Amino acid sequence: MLERTLAIIKPDAVASKNAGKIIDMLESNGFSIIGMKKAHLTKEQAKKFYIVHKERPFYDSLTTFMSEGPIIVMVLEKENAIEDYRKLMGATNPEEAEEGTIRKMFGTNIERNAVHGSDSKESANFEIPFFFNELELV
Ligand code: UDP
Ligand code: MG
């Protein structure tokens, strides 16, 4: 069944001008981009997006990072999109990510790891409407 997931090119990868290469990898791996926008989150918006991590030690640093510059937010559609995009992203820590994954290629460290992806249907159902109205998904 066709599935949707939320993908973000994080501020580190936008600033280093790797967005085009990442988008190319998404398309060549069979994902359709059905929504796309550039945004610059405030710290407060980043805290809302990552509310699930509010008790974690990295929450403050993560939300400062995610609001430091523009991001590119996309909704991807594909069979099994959530799991397949997590595989293409690679492990959270780029040092542990497999060769050929986005985080291995473009991530710097466990925080500045180039991309975000929904980790479950439940998180996709929170994250997609956080950024997109249904009418913006085509
Ligand atoms: N993160 C961090 N330190 C950690 C774990 C995570 O800075 O020890 C950051 C990193 O940017 C990560 C995000 O917080 O992508 C969300 O963490 P999560 O565990 O959900 O990892 P993900 O789902 O992004 O792989
Ligand atoms: Mg996560």
Side-chain angles (χ1 to χ4, degrees):
M1 205 186 70
L2 271 185
E3 193 174 61
R4 292 174 176 187
T5 191
L6 188 88
I8 301 179
I9 304 177
K10 294 184 176 182
D12 57 330
V14 173
S16 58
K17 305 224 181 271
N18 285 316
K21 290 173 212 137
I22 292 169
I23 291 166
D24 190 18
M25 286 177 74
L26 298 175
E27 292 198 316
S28 46
N29 281 276
F31 294 91
S32 298
I33 300 167
I34 63 166
M36 183 162 172
K37 63 175 70 166
K38 201 167 186 184
H40 187 161
L41 297 179
T42 64
K43 170 95 172 169
E44 284 312 305
Q45 289 168 331
K47 286 171 76 174
K48 280 184 187 145
F49 181 75
Y50 278 114
I51 193 73
V52 63
H53 292 315
K54 68 177 187 307
E55 306 298 342
R56 309 293 287 279
F58 57 81
Y59 183 59
D60 185 62
S61 180
L62 169 64
T63 53
T64 296
F65 160 54
M66 288 301 290
S67 55
E68 77 177 24
I71 57 174
I72 294 170
V73 192
M74 290 167 282
V75 177
L76 307 179
E77 191 171 74
K78 183 185 172 299
E79 296 282 323
N80 209 29
I82 295 172
E83 193 188 332
D84 286 1
Y85 176 54
R86 294 289 302 187
K87 279 192 200 136
L88 183 61
M89 284 201 302
T92 306
N93 186 347
E95 282 174 24
E96 289 163 15
E98 283 182 44
E99 288 302 326
T101 62
I102 297 172
R103 283 168 162 172
K104 180 71 170 189
M105 292 170 77
F106 303 113
T108 303
N109 58 45
I110 195 167
E111 177 176 271
R112 306 177 72 84
N113 58 5
V115 283
H116 167 85
S118 307
D119 67 1
S120 63
K121 280 194 199 300
E122 293 66 36
S123 50
N125 286 342
F126 168 74
E127 293 175 356
I128 292 171
F130 189 93
F131 285 103
F132 294 93
N133 185 295
E134 186 62 33
L135 295 172
E136 297 173 291
L137 301 176
V138 290

